Amino acid sequence: MKKEQVVNCQFSVWYPIFKKHTIKSLILPLPQNVIDYLLDDGTLVTPSIPPTQSVFPPRQAPEFPEFTSKVLEAINSLGGRVFPKLNWSAPRDANWIALNSSLESRSLSDIFLLFKSSDFITHDLTQPFLQCSDQDSPDPVINYELVLRKWSELIPGGEFRCFVKENKLIAISQRDYTQYYQHILKQEEQIRQAIGDFFSQHVQYNFLDEDFVFDVYRDSLGRVWLIDLNPFGEVTDSLLFTWDELTSGGDVAQRQDGPAFRYTTSEVTVQPSPCLSYRIPRDFVDLSTGEDAYKLIDFLKLKKSQQEESEEEEEEEEEEAPQ
């Protein structure tokens, strides 16, 4: 995996190419002061929450008025609910911190809470080329961006990861391999055919690289949508395959009878979620060691504010409901 391949998998690079076949999204440049805030481990304070008031010296909440305005405008234009990510990654390892255990975001505060709790986001900002083979070459300059995708209720059983080697679809894996979905077993050939057709008609030879990984969603009508593109290398989770199998010398890469398709075949093979290991907040670890008492205070304030906002929305909906 080369650095150029990582660069080519940035959302802003592939989205214009496949815009017709994916979820509507907006891209906003990420100001340097916002990047600095996301990388600051000192506090979980977000812009809508007042600074900590206690026996400790107060910590000023950061303010990004111009950026906040642009984000809110973008969220509203996408229907009021979005799925946030950076150039490459979404904060999938941080959904534990949201009140509804979802990445659904309605404000910049929601996004900041997820981003500051995510190791995936930190990796994007600090080590995007960590596992590249051409470490001796200079790192490309990255312009970081906030990607806001229109919120869509995707059923995990409809998501699949596809591996492409030399512009050939060699493997398909169930994305949420920790669960057993009976419909995948029953519709194996239809799913394989639908993804294969989508690849040959819309993806093959249209991307900048010949080796890459792409994620798709097959909806209830059988239509396939492009969800994401990733580098072909160990930085990308190979799910039910191994990278040894997928590389040029592996058995999977040598198949001539179509892509290998793997999925969880029974309840017996269900596994724990790989994101469980991320659910011990680094901020709580800091608190337990006495390193930063502000963090828990800030976190509790934010949770209280979110709960109050949720209750207010429920009251408004009840008032607006027809009698």
Side-chain angles (χ1 to χ4, degrees):
M1 182 180 68
K2 304 289 187 181
K3 293 178 181 179
E4 183 182 12
Q5 291 175 281
V6 175
V7 170
N8 289 343
C9 285
Q10 292 180 98
F11 186 86
S12 59
V13 175
W14 67 259
Y15 181 69
I17 303 173
F18 302 109
K19 190 174 182 178
K20 293 181 180 179
H21 309 291
T22 190
I23 297 168
K24 183 179 180 181
S25 306
L26 293 174
I27 304 169
L28 301 176
L30 206 59
Q32 185 58 50
N33 60 344
V34 174
I35 295 174
D36 294 341
Y37 167 64
L38 293 175
L39 292 174
D40 176 17
D41 276 342
T43 176
L44 266 173
V45 171
T46 60
S48 66
I49 305 301
T52 302
Q53 298 295 330
S54 66
V55 294
F56 303 106
R59 178 165 295 175
Q60 185 63 43
E63 296 181 359
F64 313 104
E66 184 177 350
F67 184 64
T68 300
S69 176
K70 290 179 180 179
V71 171
L72 290 177
E73 182 180 351
I75 291 175
N76 290 333
S77 72
L78 292 171
R81 300 183 300 160
V82 297
F83 176 95
K85 62 179 295 180
L86 285 188
N87 300 42
W88 297 279
S89 302
R92 294 181 182 275
D93 57 328
N95 63 350
W96 57 268
I97 203 169
L99 287 176
N100 57 354
S101 296
S102 167
L103 299 187
E104 177 188 327
S105 299
R106 303 185 181 210
S107 67
L108 186 58
S109 294
D110 292 344
I111 295 169
F112 278 162
L113 180 62
L114 290 167
F115 279 14
K116 285 183 69 67
S117 306
S118 171
D119 288 345
F120 296 173
I121 294 298
T122 300
H123 176 273
D124 270 20
L125 293 172
T126 60
Q127 298 177 313
F129 306 109
L130 180 63
Q131 298 189 40
C132 292
S133 58
D134 52 345
Q135 289 296 323
D136 292 339
S137 65
D139 285 351
V141 176
I142 299 299
N143 295 314
Y144 283 99
E145 299 156 336
L146 172 63
V147 177
L148 302 175
R149 315 208 68 186
K150 183 180 178 65
W151 181 258
S152 302
E153 297 289 348
L154 302 184
I155 300 171
E159 295 182 87
F160 301 91
R161 173 156 289 180
C162 310
F163 302 85
V164 178
K165 180 71 175 173
E166 298 176 353
N167 273 317
K168 176 187 175 184
L169 180 61
I170 63 170
I172 302 170
S173 174
Q174 176 182 330
R175 185 75 172 82
D176 179 22
Y177 65 87
T178 65
Q179 301 298 319
Y180 168 61
Y181 297 99
Q182 191 175 42
H183 75 275
I184 299 180
L185 178 64
K186 292 182 177 180
Q187 301 175 25
E188 175 181 352
E189 287 307 316
Q190 295 98 308
I191 294 171
R192 190 202 307 264
Q193 185 66 46
I195 293 175
D197 290 346
F198 178 80
F199 171 70
S200 62
Q201 294 170 15
H202 305 299
V203 180
Q204 191 175 30
Y205 306 118
N206 289 327
F207 189 50
L208 301 177
D209 295 313
E210 60 176 16
D211 299 344
F212 58 94
V213 179
F214 68 99
D215 293 338
V216 296
Y217 180 75
R218 182 174 180 265
D219 64 25
S220 58
L221 299 177
R223 183 175 177 182
V224 176
W225 300 83
L226 181 64
I227 300 300
D228 205 0
L229 274 96
N230 304 283
F232 189 89
E234 293 187 6
V235 68
T236 301
D237 192 340
S238 58
L239 303 179
L240 291 174
F241 295 91
T242 67
W243 277 110
D244 284 341
E245 292 177 302
L246 294 166
T247 51
S248 57
D251 295 337
V252 172
Q254 299 299 321
R255 285 174 60 102
Q256 300 297 324
D257 56 346
F261 184 15
R262 292 183 185 172
Y263 51 90
T264 301
T265 56
S266 71
E267 296 284 359
V268 177
T269 54
V270 167
Q271 305 175 45
S273 169
C275 284
L276 285 174
S277 61
Y278 294 98
R279 294 189 179 183
I280 301 177
R282 183 182 302 167
D283 299 307
F284 288 0
V285 174
D286 288 347
L287 179 68
S288 68
T289 58
E291 291 183 14
D292 197 334
Y294 291 109
K295 289 185 176 180
L296 181 58
I297 299 170
D298 295 336
F299 172 72
L300 294 176
K301 278 177 171 285
L302 181 58
K303 298 292 272 190
K304 182 175 183 293
S305 174
Q306 288 181 324
Q307 185 66 50
E308 290 173 351
E309 289 177 2
S310 177
E311 291 173 355
E312 289 175 2
E313 289 178 359
E314 290 178 359
E315 291 175 359
E316 291 175 359
E317 290 175 356
E318 289 176 0
E319 291 174 359
E320 295 174 357
Q323 301 299 318

